Amino acid sequence: IALVEIIDNDTKLYEEKINNRTINYYQHNIRILEENRNRPNLPECRGILQKTSENSPIYKYIYEWYSEIINRDSSKKPKGDIPKLQNITTIDIEIKNLKSIKELKKKFRIRLNGELYIIVGNNGLGKSTLLISIGHLTKQIFLQREFKGDSFNSSRIIYTFNNTEKFEWKKFNQKSGARAWTIQDKTASMPRIDGIFESGIVSGARFEHLEFKKDVLEQVDKNKIKGSSKQDKDTIKFIRDNLSYIIDGKRDDNSRYKSLFTDEVYIEKIEKKEIIYFYRDFKGNIISEYSFSTGEYFVLALLKLISGKRNKNKKSLIVIDELDISLHPLAQNRLIESINQFRKEFNITFIVATHSPQIIENSNARNLYLFENKDGYVYISNPVYPAYLTKSIYKHSYYDKVILVEDELAKKFIERFIDDEFNNRFKYRLYYTIVPIGGWQKVFRTFIEKDRHYINADVMAIFDKDVQSYVESYNIKENILFIPVEDNIEKYTVKNLLQNPIFHRHIEAECLEDIYKFDDLDIAEYKNIGSSKDIKNIFYRKNGGKGLINKIEKYSKNRFKGNEHLIEEKIIEFIIDESKDKKEYIEFKKKLKRFFDIK
């Protein structure tokens, strides 16, 4: 035997037949604390271990063993059992040096009393980082899974329970030397909150079971679906009624989901049965959950999760990033209305992030938390009134044309391109804007969700060429463009143009003081450059004034001193002049012209 720690709460019940006997067993993810070689025999256990009294021989045996392990590894004595969930009322979270968050200026407090937290703010500020940190409370694998690499060695997340029990997690444990997210200077495990964390669309689990689609549809085609699942009727009714209301706004027998049922379908890939949802359409055809729309499928997945937490006597936490993905505005309203009902009825605390004006406008100010990032310092304001949020965050909603780009340099390129090529031909005919989003994945996500952000606007996404293969793999052809410059503007500048005498003369004439030449910039260190990331560091590096822009500024004319933007504009001006006769530039111009409806 061994003493083990269950390291997540994703417990599954399995059933097998052995020698004509049905054997039920649970499967956990565990960590072995110690194998038992010298201890006396384990006392006989009657019943389920987790329900055993603290005065029972088995409980005392395990706790004594656990205490010995802790005392052997540390001079600190255990402070008693791991804090029990029902005794936890508040959890405070502090974050430092994690991705875009240099510091969370005020602890984020979670009250486990069935509250609703709606976190809003622009992309790329660190909202997902906060949600992952909260999700780690439910299943302590998310820090290791989401925050990998040496760049997180200085990162810290501190959880404080009930203002007393504090647990500090770091990527690098100085005491043990472990390069993994671990608790620092603590002998006990951190409490796990009964709950669920659903990350964003890229790394989340809401669509992870789509791999079962082929097996399910094949069995539908072969007429093998009979509705023989052991799923309890109360759960099916809960999901059917709420799916009907959120998607269709109906609570009666006219809903398309009135015939919702389940069946156990054998999935060959995992060699076991899964409970799958189906309904019959008006012709009597069986429709599986894998034929649902994206919005329907997400709501069904969410209701499945909530259905397992319908126990008012047990506190639960559900954390969801990108709550409103692929849902019609009216369905978004009904979803948040239903969540409000669930939190009160089942004592579930919900923490969600959204960009939806509909959800914001239909929420109470006390539930809204505005997320703002000022040079890495994050401020979370609450309460915030919906009208303020929709005005400040969604100011781009009513443009005629919207262009999404990765960063400010790309924005400058498109602005200069439009000024040069179209000569303001549409200046008085339409209202357009160029919006830097931050990273190609964020641009892509915002583009596919464009109908939620930009009302009545035509939206185009323009990416750097170094991500062209990734973007094109999604097979979306309409209103997607790539800047007609090798890889990205930074790489084009550093790798190619630094060797171009014409570029040297351009920088000398436009930017540098008359007494300086291009060679004075001392750019020899840039010759052996690597990845696009390295090049961007070279382009912008500010520490010690070693970046290319810094060096140009150091020897520049007075009007460029302290003004990187003017130097960038001069570089872009040269790139556009050099590119005008190239085929890809001309093709780019045609497509952008078509987007703006210029004759």
Side-chain angles (χ1 to χ4, degrees):
I1 58 173
L3 184 63
V4 303
E5 179 182 13
I6 299 173
I7 59 174
D8 67 44
N9 54 10
D10 188 19
T11 303
K12 293 184 178 179
L13 174 64
Y14 291 86
E15 184 179 282
E16 284 188 9
K17 282 197 178 263
I18 301 175
N19 297 329
N20 294 321
R21 288 182 59 209
T22 300
I23 305 294
N24 292 318
Y25 62 94
Y26 291 93
Q27 179 173 302
H28 303 275
N29 289 321
I30 63 171
R31 178 173 65 211
I32 296 176
L33 300 178
E34 185 178 79
E35 293 183 5
N36 180 17
R37 293 190 176 92
N38 302 314
R39 296 186 64 81
N41 291 335
L42 186 74
E44 185 177 357
C45 175
R46 297 184 181 276
I48 299 173
L49 198 60
Q50 66 187 18
K51 294 184 178 179
T52 301
S53 164
E54 293 185 9
N55 296 319
S56 70
I58 184 67
Y59 185 97
K60 291 178 180 178
Y61 180 96
I62 292 174
Y63 188 70
E64 180 184 340
W65 189 359
Y66 176 62
S67 300
E68 287 179 12
I69 293 172
I70 291 174
N71 285 322
R72 193 182 309 133
D73 294 340
S74 170
S75 59
K76 296 181 180 179
K77 297 210 183 269
K79 297 180 180 179
D81 204 356
I82 295 171
K84 291 184 172 58
L85 177 61
Q86 59 264 32
N87 297 326
I88 297 173
T89 57
T90 63
I91 305 166
D92 293 313
I93 297 180
E94 302 169 68
I95 299 175
K96 292 186 178 180
N97 298 320
L98 186 56
K99 295 192 76 173
S100 57
I101 300 178
K102 187 180 291 184
E103 183 180 354
L104 206 58
K105 291 301 289 182
K106 186 179 179 182
K107 296 176 184 178
F108 185 80
R109 167 158 286 196
I110 303 167
R111 296 176 180 84
L112 288 177
N113 60 356
E115 287 198 20
L116 171 61
Y117 299 77
I118 302 174
I119 299 174
V120 298
N122 287 328
N123 289 315
L125 303 184
K127 297 193 304 299
S128 294
T129 298
L130 174 63
L131 290 180
I132 291 166
S133 303
I134 297 170
H136 190 68
L137 289 164
T138 68
K139 195 173 183 179
Q140 291 171 20
I141 59 171
F142 288 112
L143 300 186
Q144 189 65 24
R145 194 170 80 182
E146 301 286 345
F147 304 136
K148 296 180 179 179
D150 291 342
S151 60
F152 297 103
N153 284 353
S154 64
S155 301
R156 288 194 299 154
I157 306 173
I158 301 169
Y159 303 88
T160 306
F161 295 79
N162 295 346
N163 294 317
T164 55
E165 283 290 324
K166 185 176 286 191
F167 298 85
E168 180 182 3
W169 289 75
K170 290 180 74 174
K171 175 71 169 59
F172 179 70
N173 191 319
Q174 298 217 355
K175 188 173 182 181
S176 68
R179 289 188 175 275
W181 283 91
T182 54
I183 300 172
Q184 309 293 300
D185 303 320
K186 201 75 175 178
T187 57
S189 298
M190 189 172 81
R192 292 167 186 78
I193 307 301
D194 178 66
I196 297 147
F197 169 54
E198 173 52 34
S199 187
I201 190 170
V202 174
S203 57
R206 66 193 80 179
F207 302 121
E208 66 179 1
H209 294 307
L210 287 177
E211 62 190 80
F212 302 159
K213 179 176 180 178
K214 181 181 177 183
D215 289 320
V216 173
L217 293 184
E218 280 181 358
Q219 297 196 43
V220 171
D221 287 343
K222 294 175 181 177
N223 200 27
K224 290 186 176 182
I225 304 302
K226 305 297 182 184
S228 57
S229 169
K230 297 174 183 177
Q231 186 79 296
D232 67 279
K233 292 180 180 178
D234 185 52
T235 296
I236 293 176
K237 184 179 187 306
F238 171 80
I239 291 177
R240 180 187 64 225
D241 292 349
N242 287 287
L243 185 64
S244 296
Y245 179 66
I246 294 168
I247 299 297
D248 287 341
K250 296 176 180 179
R251 295 191 185 275
D252 53 36
D253 287 340
N254 291 323
S255 166
R256 78 181 98 166
Y257 308 108
K258 65 182 179 182
S259 62
L260 192 75
F261 66 94
T262 61
D263 203 344
E264 287 186 310
V265 178
Y266 180 76
I267 307 297
E268 187 174 354
K269 185 172 184 178
I270 58 174
E271 297 183 339
K272 72 184 189 76
K273 292 182 177 180
E274 285 284 323
I275 294 176
I276 308 297
Y277 280 78
F278 304 87
Y279 73 91
R280 294 184 182 274
D281 66 11
F282 67 97
K283 292 181 179 178
N285 299 316
I286 292 177
I287 309 297
S288 82
E289 61 183 75
Y290 296 114
S291 297
F292 285 12
S293 69
T294 305
E296 285 177 289
Y297 188 85
F298 167 58
V299 172
L300 174 65
L302 178 59
L303 290 172
K304 287 181 190 178
L305 299 177
I306 295 171
S307 70
K309 305 297 177 187
R310 291 176 294 148
N311 181 357
K312 193 172 178 65
N313 296 321
K314 187 177 182 180
K315 295 177 181 179
S316 296
L317 174 66
I318 294 181
V319 186
I320 306 170
D321 200 356
E322 300 175 357
L323 174 69
D324 46 289
I325 190 77
S326 301
L327 279 178
H328 185 278
L330 292 177
Q332 294 173 25
N333 292 343
R334 293 190 289 263
L335 174 60
I336 205 68
E337 177 192 332
S338 298
I339 284 175
N340 262 310
Q341 177 188 332
F342 300 150
R343 71 183 180 87
K344 295 171 185 174
E345 188 176 349
F346 308 129
N347 197 18
I348 302 173
T349 298
F350 283 88
I351 301 176
V352 302
T354 184
H355 294 290
S356 166
Q358 287 75 25
I359 289 178
I360 293 170
E361 288 168 357
N362 286 278
S363 297
N364 193 297
R366 69 173 178 270
N367 300 125
L368 293 168
Y369 293 75
L370 176 59
F371 201 100
E372 297 175 288
N373 188 320
K374 298 176 182 177
D375 298 322
Y377 294 98
V378 170
Y379 301 82
I380 302 177
S381 306
N382 170 263
V384 191
Y385 287 90
Y388 171 79
L389 289 174
T390 52
K391 179 182 177 183
S392 62
I393 295 177
Y394 300 101
K395 59 186 178 182
H396 302 305
S397 293
Y398 298 99
Y399 284 95
D400 297 308
K401 307 281 183 181
V402 175
I403 296 176
L404 309 174
V405 295
E406 294 183 45
D407 51 37
E408 290 288 345
L409 199 60
K411 178 181 178 180
K412 286 186 175 73
F413 182 92
I414 303 302
E415 285 175 337
R416 179 65 191 229
F417 184 97
I418 289 172
D419 284 344
D420 277 14
E421 297 297 340
F422 302 146
N423 196 24
N424 291 326
R425 274 184 267 177
F426 47 81
K427 185 174 181 180
Y428 304 105
R429 192 163 58 83
L430 57 82
Y431 192 34
Y432 80 94
T433 187
I434 303 167
V435 185
I437 300 292
W440 78 267
Q441 290 163 315
K442 292 186 177 70
V443 173
F444 186 79
R445 183 184 302 153
T446 306
F447 178 74
I448 64 174
E449 298 170 4
K450 56 185 179 294
D451 293 339
R452 294 195 293 116
H453 302 298
Y454 306 105
I455 300 170
N456 297 324
D458 289 332
V459 181
M460 170 174 277
I462 300 181
F463 300 89
D464 289 343
K465 282 187 73 178
D466 56 356
V467 298
Q468 187 166 353
S469 60
Y470 298 108
V471 175
E472 288 181 342
S473 69
Y474 289 91
N475 203 28
I476 299 175
K477 302 187 183 302
E478 194 67 28
N479 285 353
I480 297 277
L481 282 180
F482 301 91
I483 292 177
V485 170
E486 179 189 345
D487 282 357
N488 52 57
I489 294 167
E490 294 91 340
K491 184 169 184 178
Y492 189 92
T493 303
V494 175
K495 186 176 181 180
N496 297 317
L497 300 186
L498 289 185
Q499 303 169 12
N500 186 334
I502 301 173
F503 175 64
H504 298 179
R505 289 196 291 272
H506 177 78
I507 293 298
E508 286 175 1
E510 296 292 336
C511 301
L512 302 185
E513 284 278 8
D514 293 341
I515 59 172
Y516 297 117
K517 299 294 182 184
F518 192 86
D519 291 342
D520 294 325
L521 298 181
D522 187 21
I523 57 170
E525 63 176 300
Y526 301 153
K527 288 183 179 178
N528 298 316
I529 50 176
S531 65
S532 291
K533 183 179 178 181
D534 294 334
I535 291 164
K536 289 194 176 188
N537 289 337
I538 288 169
F539 195 81
Y540 285 113
R541 194 189 306 142
K542 293 184 179 181
N543 295 335
K546 294 182 179 179
L548 174 61
I549 299 296
N550 301 113
K551 289 191 174 187
I552 294 174
E553 182 188 356
K554 180 179 177 181
Y555 298 103
S556 68
K557 300 172 182 176
N558 284 336
R559 70 190 182 97
F560 292 101
K561 296 289 186 185
N563 196 338
E564 298 176 350
H565 305 296
L566 282 178
I567 297 171
E568 291 171 354
E569 286 171 8
K570 289 299 177 184
I571 291 173
I572 288 168
E573 177 185 287
F574 178 80
I575 292 172
I576 287 178
D577 286 344
E578 284 287 291
S579 304
K580 283 188 174 181
D581 295 330
K582 294 180 179 176
K583 183 179 177 181
E584 59 180 346
Y585 183 96
I586 295 167
E587 190 62 27
F588 181 86
K589 177 181 174 181
K590 267 187 210 175
K591 290 179 179 177
L592 203 56
K593 190 175 178 182
R594 195 179 311 133
F595 174 71
F596 282 119
D597 299 320
I598 297 173
K599 304 299 181 186

